[in-house]
Amino acid sequence: MFQKKTIKDIDLNEKKVFVRVDFNVPLKNGKVVDDTRIKAAIPTIQYLLNCNAAVILASHLGRPGGEPKEEFSLKPVADYFEHLIDARVLFVNDCMGAMVEEAAKNLQNGEILILENTRFHPEEEANDPLMGAKLASLADVFVNDAFGTAHRAHASNVGIAKHIPAVSGLLLEREINYLGNTISDPEKPFIAILGGAKVSGKINVIDNLAGKVDYFLIGGGMANTFFAAQGYKMGDSLVEEESLGIAKEILKGTGKKLLLPIDVVISDEFSASANNKTIPIGDIPESWSIMDLGPLSLNKFGKIIRDSKTIVWNGPMGVFEFPAFAKGTFSMAKIVAESNAVTIVGGGDSAAALKESGLSDKITHISTGGGASLKMLEGSLLPGLEALNDK
Ligand code: AMP
């Protein structure tokens, strides 16, 4: 059960509502190239408009380093957003100060005001109490719907919550329900598919899930470190020498639960046009590297996936940026999408593979947060959620 108050628990009629959204989207030449996060915030914003609230939206974009920089302006995002919603949308080129106060005061019910990048002020990431108070002074109610930054304690998601009623938006609630509640009480068999470059980033995830999952299916560069810990020669493969000790411990602790690839695609250099071949797992020839899962591994993992009831997937199965080594990740996307299980996907790379394959809508829940979703899988509390009012 979600334990925080949400927008459905409070009166929003004619209220000024400050919503922290995650509009931290990729831009190219001043144009939004992926609007997933913007669209994910719309149910909350639309709900507030339907309640006759005046809506103030705040977000960060990129890492401007605490000062205004044009390339990190939210103006192009505001322009884009305007076309997605049937309401008057205004933009103000700061998030604090007299001009912002005036714009917030004049904002009418049913209208939207988008503030400039919160990270144009160093006080944001320092969670400066004064900034939290100033942001709060703009509104009657605070709504956090920015799951992507919920693992950070900043002024616009934590500081502000001390001053006015603070509740969750619909996206944040959904993320927590899937990444927290579903995973803490999953329908079994429950499996975690983990990939990506490093073991070190996922040790806490493995620790937290070890008592809950039936299987870990490991792919990507992560698997190399486990193979090295088992004594195989890894050629030029990416191996985290400093994680060999912990990898050995994990192998011992998880036993037959942790499944590694049985065949792999190797290449003679780290490039898109490298020579490649598929081999059963064993010593990797000198100066060759593991780049992807092989077909036998996909077949073996696929059988387990098809028998599962709950699946969480985080991280690519290979160097999917090169088409020659993307098959493992894209085949995995297809296998996960075709499963009848509750499927929960975190991490930008896995989500991107699903999107590119046109399979996103076959997944139960694709998280909008990379770092935040890993924190949830680690079982950590998120400051942005903790700061909200209890039910
Ligand atoms: P992460 O941020 O830890 O999820 O890692 C994502 C990155 O892992 C992607 O950029 C992949 O190219 C990379 N990756 C996946 N498999 C391998 C591999 N076998 N060798 C090197 N890098 C890999």
Side-chain angles (χ1 to χ4, degrees):
M1 240 282 280
F2 191 69
Q3 285 162 359
K4 297 295 181 180
K5 279 194 181 156
T6 79
I7 49 174
K8 302 222 160 144
D9 295 318
I10 55 166
D11 177 21
L12 296 158
N13 184 32
E14 298 188 0
K15 296 278 192 290
K16 282 224 160 85
V17 183
F18 184 108
V19 191
R20 176 55 160 101
V21 286
D22 182 2
F23 281 179
N24 181 33
V25 294
L27 297 176
K28 211 174 198 171
N29 304 324
K31 293 261 178 299
V32 173
V33 289
D34 183 348
D35 64 1
T36 309
R37 286 177 160 176
I38 302 176
K39 286 197 168 141
I42 287 187
T44 292
I45 297 165
Q46 190 61 57
Y47 180 89
L48 298 173
L49 294 176
N50 294 349
C51 289
N52 196 29
V55 180
I56 301 167
L57 301 181
S59 176
H60 77 285
L61 177 71
R63 296 186 173 163
E67 56 180 331
K69 286 195 185 127
E70 207 189 323
E71 69 264 38
F72 296 106
S73 171
L74 276 166
K75 179 75 169 68
V77 179
D79 291 342
Y80 184 89
F81 176 79
E82 206 175 355
H83 301 288
L84 297 181
I85 201 129
D86 185 18
R88 185 164 180 235
V89 178
L90 304 145
F91 179 78
V92 58
N93 64 4
D94 204 345
C95 68
M96 291 192 286
M99 205 173 47
V100 179
E101 284 159 27
E102 188 65 17
K105 203 173 92 199
N106 293 335
L107 190 69
Q108 302 298 304
N109 300 325
E111 291 183 345
I112 296 172
L113 173 66
I114 301 183
L115 308 185
E116 183 55 286
N117 194 339
T118 52
R119 289 194 189 167
F120 281 0
H121 296 270
E123 296 96 323
E124 161 73 332
E125 291 177 84
N127 191 11
D128 175 70
L130 196 61
M131 179 165 178
K134 275 190 191 162
L135 296 178
S137 74
L138 301 174
D140 307 306
V141 176
F142 169 60
V143 174
N144 190 2
D145 213 24
F147 176 71
T149 37
H151 59 312
R152 311 262 181 234
H154 292 167
S156 71
N157 70 336
V158 170
I160 183 174
K162 290 194 181 72
H163 302 278
I164 45 177
V167 302
S168 170
L170 304 175
L171 173 64
L172 182 63
E173 180 188 23
R174 183 179 159 82
E175 293 271 12
I176 302 297
N177 279 339
Y178 280 111
L179 288 156
N181 301 354
T182 305
I183 284 168
S184 65
D185 188 18
E187 200 182 337
K188 304 270 261 173
F190 171 33
I191 61 163
I193 308 163
L194 300 177
K198 292 178 173 177
V199 175
S200 52
K202 305 222 166 78
I203 293 168
N204 296 337
V205 174
I206 296 178
D207 276 351
N208 184 46
L209 296 182
K212 298 185 181 116
V213 296
D214 295 277
Y215 289 108
F216 287 111
L217 308 183
I218 307 287
M222 266 184 94
N224 304 351
T225 302
F226 287 113
F227 285 133
Q230 288 176 331
Y232 291 114
K233 293 200 175 73
M234 282 289 102
D236 275 356
S237 302
L238 173 77
V239 172
E240 275 180 288
E241 297 293 336
E242 67 283 9
S243 297
L244 285 175
I246 188 89
K248 278 186 194 148
E249 276 174 41
I250 291 173
L251 287 170
K252 211 152 92 200
T254 51
K256 292 203 173 98
K257 266 189 185 183
L258 189 140
L259 302 182
L260 293 167
I262 50 177
D263 62 341
V264 286
V265 181
I266 60 172
S267 74
D268 60 355
E269 59 179 48
F270 194 87
S271 81
S273 56
N275 293 310
N276 67 74
K277 55 186 176 188
T278 303
I279 58 162
I281 195 64
D283 288 336
I284 304 300
E286 234 172 84
S287 79
W288 286 68
S289 317
I290 299 180
M291 300 292 274
D292 200 8
L293 284 185
L296 300 176
S297 307
L298 280 164
N299 198 21
K300 177 179 162 183
F301 286 0
K303 280 192 189 131
I304 294 172
I305 292 168
R306 277 188 282 277
D307 286 340
S308 302
K309 290 268 176 16
T310 311
I311 297 166
V312 48
W313 175 26
N314 188 304
M317 296 288 105
V319 185
F320 76 110
E321 292 91 340
F322 299 148
F325 309 109
K327 198 154 182 224
T329 301
F330 282 87
S331 303
M332 183 57 84
K334 191 157 178 279
I335 296 169
V336 171
E338 281 170 355
S339 119
N340 292 320
V342 172
T343 47
I344 302 163
V345 176
D349 295 334
S350 322
L354 283 160
K355 195 163 186 189
E356 222 179 298
S357 316
L359 296 169
S360 301
D361 60 356
K362 300 263 187 306
I363 301 296
T364 315
H365 180 68
I366 299 182
S367 179
T368 54
S373 73
L374 272 184
K375 286 283 167 208
M376 287 298 296
L377 297 180
E378 290 175 6
S380 304
L381 297 175
L382 305 183
L385 179 69
E386 290 308 298
L388 302 178
N389 303 152
D390 290 323
K391 253 206 208 308

